[in-house]
Amino acid sequence: MTEINEPKEASLEKNSVAEPSPKAKPKVISLRKLKRGQSAIINSISAEGEMGRRIRDMGLIPGVHVKCMGHAPLKDPMAMRLMGFTLTLRNNEADYITVTA
Amino acid sequence: MSSDTVSVIAIAGNPNSGKTTAFNRYTGARQHVGNYPGITVEKKGGTAHIDGKEVTLVDLPGTYSLTAYSMEEVVARRVLAEDRPGAVIDVINAGVLDRNLYLSVQMMEMGIPLVLTLNMMDEAEAEGLNINIKRLEELTGLKCFPAVARKGEGLDDSLRAALALAEETHGRTNPLEISYGTDLDNSLLDMTPIVENAKLLTDMYPSRWVALKFLEGDKEIIHRATMANKEASDKLIALTDKVTKHLKDTLNTYPEAVIADYRYGWISSLLRNGVLEIKDDVLERTATSDKVDAVLTHRFVGPLILIGILYLMYYITIEVGNIPLGWTQTFFDWLHDLAGDSIQSAALRSLVTDGVISGVGSVLGFVPLIIIMFFLISILEDSGYMARVAYMMDRIFRIFGLHGASIMPFIISGGIAGGCAVPGVMATRTLRSPRERLATILTVPFMMCGAKIPVFLLFTSIFFKQNQAFIMFSFTLLGWVAALLVARLLRSTLIRGQATPFVMELPPYRLPLLSGVLIHTWERAWQYIKKAGTVILGISILIWAAMTYPGLPESYHQNIDSQLALMAENTAGLPEDAHNLISTNLENSESSQALRMSYAGRLGTFIEPLTKGAGFNWQTNIALIGGVAAKEVVISTLGTAYSLGAVDPDDSSSLQQRIEADPSWTMANSMALLLFTLLYSPCFVTLVVIKQESGKWRWLFFSLFFNLTLALVVATIANQVLSA
């Protein structure tokens, strides 16, 4: 079995169709703040315990590209695209995650 | 390990990876569903045939990971470690390789022999993904097969490879050892020998893996290790604490997070190493699904369509379900009469007709509803729409400690008046969050089910003639209010605990496979008949006995007989009509007396002081006790208690006149009765299904007694306030 260990960059840059932001400076914001259609890279995850585990199990780890797909009709939960699938999470769960947008 | 483990192959994979489709393809109808003892996770097994060999297949619950947070994960891990299938077919959604391989990596860490089945290859290719299977095999050391489970492509190859692997490895292979960074690698170097020397769970798991679970803070493994060897476990915990503190101080993180990052890191470097290539010309993947979502989850249109679909679900389940329900009823009425005519002994006749046949009838009467409901729900689930329902409704239901997916059981139970709590409780299967699911199970019986409606029709037609429709509507709403408030109460008391993380996948829309939907539907209906059926039959005989025995004393019969004889003499000159009328009256008063003297009747009379506050007399009490058998029975029993003979719930005009003329019935206590009927104990079929779905008897008794108490308190208050 081949040993592969390059954990520096956490994930493949799939979905890297992120349109270049008109504002040049990338800022770190809460995942919740992403607008529909806006792409970002996950910066940090502060959730621990069950929540932290569930979030990571679904592939939300630093370095991953996400794109906001919008919000439910009552503005919560939110939906986003990452790694080729769509994930939803509640706004208060998204608060554990910061992204660079 | 016994030698037959070689031919046991487990199927693992993420939810929405097509794992169940693959399993259905392998086994066809040759599968059986049960529950793992004490929990409600489904245990699915079956047999497949390949190259003349019979293979036993185990379908593991779909999981994203093998940690021990959800019941599904605990079960999957236990089966892998303790039942030791010869090899595992890991079904992977080829379109979402990274996340699906996260589960594979964890199984490889456990030393489980794997075959990777890359499912939905056609879609992945259409989406512009180019997967180099050979390269993936080289880098993982595993056999990998492209597959399209819906069409059955690639499945035989996987199964053959899994069988060969099972014969070669007998369920254990060298565990994958990857690096989790210098800090954790060093800790593992210190910890692994401790695990080895103490032989800590090493009969089931690789020693480095056990150490890794200590670092991850895996409660289940730590607990079991501590039970086995406290000293060694304490050493491991101390080492874990040390590195945890170090990581916190230096990197502000913790071992579990680091381990997850490195696993994903391993996967992404593997994929970048020539396995996965994304063609540039395909910009937006799953584009069709997104377009559908733009409409179906649209801010305004989405909820409207949702209401429409929920109404359609309800309409088809209940309205269309009532057609076969009518047939079963006609059939059992016919059987009832047939048996009634052909059995001589009165006691035996009553047992067979009112006990057994009515009991079997009430078990099977629900089967059409359950079949239709699960057929529709399977379609909604397999198409991907159910996840959208949860997504859209979650904001509202979360307030009450429930989950967006709770709406479906509520609607089916009578969220639109006229549902049924039996399929409603069973519909909670779609909820994957255990606390939210239990709270839903326990509160759906408050809804306005179809069997409560005759009681409402009767009393509103007497006391609320002017605004009958409005009252009916208000009570349907009241059912919602009661259910949601009780859910809130339960979630902050008995089923307390943080909301289960919502984090949920919205799978792309797909056309459901008819075979899958049918298998799923049949499994559920059969489970209901087999498991709930026997219990329901037993209880219905018990209820029959309580309403029949001990019967009237011999002297009473003699009295009636002599009255009849006397009447025959005195009425000799009267027309036959009058004659019949009098004898019917006598018979009715006899059955009324018999009911009063029965155990249920005595109980009804005995508790009269308790229900006085609510304004219920013994007749009402007996009727309500009978209503635990089925809510329709309230009307017919009330008829018997009022010496009217058994009243048909669908035509209760004789009872209506009787109650109108009775001064003991007022607006206040009839309102109390309606409130009581809405809220009190679910019928026992629902109770049995609650036990079956929650896995615990205690929730059956809770529903019985809590709902009774709640109903009595509310009814008493209503009666007192309204009659004041």
Side-chain angles (χ1 to χ4, degrees), chain B residues 110 194 313 555:
Chain B
M110 274 175 79
I194 300 176
M313 269 289 296
S555 57

Side-chain angles (χ1 to χ4, degrees), chain B residues 42-240:
Chain B
E42 275 184 3
K43 181 178 193 166
K44 265 179 149 184
T47 48
H49 294 271
I50 191 158
D51 304 335
K53 276 182 267 186
E54 189 179 273
V55 192
T56 304
L57 290 182
V58 180
D59 190 23
L60 297 178
T63 61
Y64 294 107
S65 169
L66 279 182
T67 54
Y69 265 114
S70 74
M71 272 301 165
E72 284 83 5
E73 289 173 358
V74 174
V75 164
R77 201 164 79 184
R78 285 232 175 122
V79 172
L80 290 175
E82 293 169 21
D83 299 352
R84 285 208 191 185
V88 173
I89 295 175
D90 182 7
V91 181
I92 282 175
N93 177 353
V96 196
L97 269 184
D98 319 43
R99 206 204 58 216
N100 280 257
L101 284 170
Y102 188 68
L103 176 68
S104 320
V105 169
Q106 293 181 59
M107 288 193 281
M108 289 157 81
E109 288 172 335
M110 274 175 79
I112 311 272
L114 282 189
V115 169
L116 299 187
T117 304
L118 278 73
N119 189 24
M120 309 186 200
M121 273 303 265
D122 50 348
E123 285 179 23
E125 274 163 17
E127 285 164 2
L129 299 185
N130 197 348
I131 300 168
N132 186 334
I133 303 265
K134 254 192 109 192
R135 186 77 183 129
L136 183 61
E137 288 190 329
E138 276 168 28
L139 293 175
T140 56
L142 305 175
K143 288 261 187 224
C144 306
F145 299 94
V148 183
R150 288 169 73 93
K151 298 180 188 158
E153 288 168 18
L155 294 181
D156 283 354
D157 294 339
S158 304
L159 188 56
R160 263 186 216 111
L163 275 178
L165 191 63
E167 263 166 49
E168 182 193 324
T169 61
H170 293 266
R172 278 294 173 273
T173 181
N174 286 335
L176 168 72
E177 296 191 359
I178 64 175
S179 163
Y180 307 102
T182 325
D183 291 326
L184 293 180
D185 284 351
N186 285 337
S187 296
L188 284 173
L189 283 177
D190 294 338
M191 292 165 78
T192 309
I194 300 176
V195 176
E196 255 162 35
N197 291 335
K199 293 201 163 38
L200 213 53
L201 308 179
T202 47
D203 54 330
M204 281 185 273
Y205 301 103
S207 44
R208 188 171 184 260
W209 187 88
V210 175
L212 187 66
K213 290 293 132 176
F214 269 83
L215 289 177
E216 283 185 313
D218 187 301
K219 287 202 186 87
E220 203 224 350
I221 293 295
I222 294 177
H223 173 76
R224 284 167 61 194
T226 310
M227 290 287 135
N229 186 334
K230 185 156 190 324
E231 196 190 339
S233 299
D234 285 345
K235 268 192 221 162
L236 293 169
I237 292 171
L239 284 168
T240 302

